[in-house]
Amino acid sequence: MKKKTIGLIVLFISLILAAPLSAKGPGAGKNSKSLEALTAEEIVHITYMREEEKLARDVYLTLYELYQAPIFSNISESEQRHMDALKRLIDRYGIEDPVKDDAVGVFTNQDFASLYEELVEKGKAGYCDALQVGIDIEILDIHDIEIALNDIEAQNVNRVLNNLLNGSYNHLNAFNSQYVLAGCQ
């Protein structure tokens, strides 16, 4: 009788604790109160930016292999954190992740695949060209994030994109500084 009572108490407590989580759907948990329904436009921006951050990471990883310059390694790690932040949004909202294959240079969006090849080829011309590729990528990221922010109303998505924007400005400053220090002008 004692075992049965303890078992029922455990089952009852489990049901009480689990019920609120299962009732909230995707993203349930400590941040679920801040979830807002996303518009189709917001979803497009999230998935697009996920692959654009992958583009940056992949190009920087490839350029690091060529030049062994710490700037490419350091910023590729930051781009991975940007990808991870967008992946958390994708998971939280139950959005299909466009990054089906995380291998370097592999993209769902063929425009990114072509751009990857183009940017790597440009970066192979020399170290200054590689730094210019970094500058170009960060300018592209800043432009696209600013466009996305005009369409984003969900507060948690807005916060993530603003963090990415700040990171991209920092990356742009770092590439510009290295460009000058390397005498690339």
Side-chain angles (χ1 to χ4, degrees):
M1 180 75 167
K2 228 178 185 181
K3 285 182 183 179
K4 188 174 183 180
T5 304
I6 292 172
L8 287 173
I9 291 171
V10 169
L11 177 63
F12 180 71
I13 290 171
S14 299
L15 289 173
I16 289 173
L17 293 175
L21 293 177
S22 63
K24 292 179 184 175
K30 66 180 182 177
N31 294 326
S32 62
K33 289 182 181 178
S34 66
L35 284 184
E36 305 167 41
L38 296 180
T39 65
E41 214 166 32
E42 288 172 323
I43 292 169
V44 167
H45 286 304
I46 291 167
T47 56
Y48 187 86
M49 291 311 304
R50 171 109 159 113
E51 272 205 300
E52 190 167 299
E53 295 297 330
K54 182 183 185 310
L55 170 70
R57 184 205 64 183
D58 290 1
V59 170
Y60 299 155
L61 286 171
T62 303
L63 294 177
Y64 177 74
E65 291 299 317
L66 288 171
Y67 299 104
Q68 299 295 304
I71 190 168
F72 294 115
S73 176
N74 294 340
I75 295 180
S76 70
E77 290 172 10
S78 181
E79 299 296 353
Q80 180 63 58
R81 287 189 296 275
H82 293 185
M83 287 178 63
D84 294 344
L86 289 161
K87 178 70 163 98
R88 284 189 294 276
L89 287 174
I90 285 169
D91 290 345
R92 185 172 293 145
Y93 286 101
I95 301 169
E96 185 176 347
D97 187 2
V99 178
K100 307 281 186 226
D101 184 342
D102 198 33
V104 171
V106 177
F107 300 90
T108 301
N109 181 326
Q110 289 309 303
D111 291 338
F112 284 127
S114 297
L115 189 54
Y116 169 81
E117 294 297 330
E118 179 184 321
L119 292 169
V120 167
E121 196 59 38
K122 181 178 177 183
K124 286 180 180 179
Y127 182 64
C128 289
D129 297 292
L131 291 172
Q132 184 62 54
V133 164
I135 291 167
D136 295 344
I137 288 172
E138 297 308 326
I139 289 171
L140 175 67
D141 280 356
I142 289 166
H143 175 262
D144 290 344
I145 294 168
E146 287 177 342
I147 287 173
L149 283 168
N150 289 325
D151 298 329
I152 302 295
E153 293 184 22
Q155 289 180 353
N156 59 341
V157 177
N158 190 291
R159 184 174 41 254
V160 168
L161 289 184
N162 271 297
N163 287 339
L164 298 184
L165 183 62
N166 290 335
S168 291
Y169 274 114
N170 289 337
H171 299 164
L172 179 59
N173 289 336
F175 279 118
N176 279 323
S177 294
Q178 286 299 305
Y179 192 84
V180 170
L181 288 172
C184 297
Q185 299 175 353

